[in-house]
Amino acid sequence: GQRVTCTVSSYPDVTFDGSVTSVSQAGDARSRSFTAKITPTDPDHRLKPGMFAEVRVVVAQKDDALLVPKQALIDKDGKHYVFVVEDGRARLREVGIGLSDASNVEVVQGLTGDETIVTTGQGRLADNDPVAVQ
């Protein structure tokens, strides 16, 4: 019943939703993997037998999450930070993070969602440096 998304090379711009329908009881000890079967939602019958698919299992989803681009995040001494622009200055702010995907990270603490954050060049910034939003 777990949700999945699938893509196939024949339709590179289409994502097919689906769900896990079964998982084998025994895994392969060498590869540490299990065989799983999924059933994609394909009302137009575009998927054909023998097609290879890339499948991503959705382990968690939050519809109201506050997301920032991964490249905006600064990891330092086991803590996570972003630069917030306040009155033309970069202010280093610690944030708590949650779920992430390939391009975004959920911020669970430290931001309200109304801030402007620095997404490029923050590696050369220091707290209180002047910045111009572009």
Side-chain angles (χ1 to χ4, degrees), residues 20-21 36 69-70 89 93 97 101 120 131 134:
V20 176
T21 54
K70 274 188 173 179
R89 300 229 170 241
R93 186 171 305 169
I97 62 170
D101 62 17
T120 57
V131 293
Q134 296 187 5

Side-chain angles (χ1 to χ4, degrees), residues 12 19 23 27 62 74-75 101:
S19 62
V23 178
K62 293 183 180 177
I74 300 165
D75 295 324
D101 62 17

Side-chain angles (χ1 to χ4, degrees), residues 85-99:
V85 179
E86 293 176 346
D87 300 321
R89 300 229 170 241
R91 306 287 185 191
L92 189 62
R93 186 171 305 169
E94 184 176 353
V95 294
I97 62 170
L99 300 174

Side-chain angles (χ1 to χ4, degrees), residues 72-132:
L73 206 61
I74 300 165
D75 295 324
K76 190 165 118 179
D77 299 327
K79 295 182 180 180
H80 308 283
Y81 301 88
V82 295
F83 276 107
V84 175
V85 179
E86 293 176 346
D87 300 321
R89 300 229 170 241
R91 306 287 185 191
L92 189 62
R93 186 171 305 169
E94 184 176 353
V95 294
I97 62 170
L99 300 174
S100 67
D101 62 17
S103 55
N104 297 303
V105 176
E106 175 190 20
V107 175
V108 296
Q109 182 180 8
L111 294 177
T112 63
D114 295 326
E115 300 91 345
T116 300
I117 61 168
V118 177
T119 59
T120 57
Q122 65 273 28
R124 294 171 289 189
L125 279 179
D127 194 36
N128 207 31
D129 279 353
V131 293

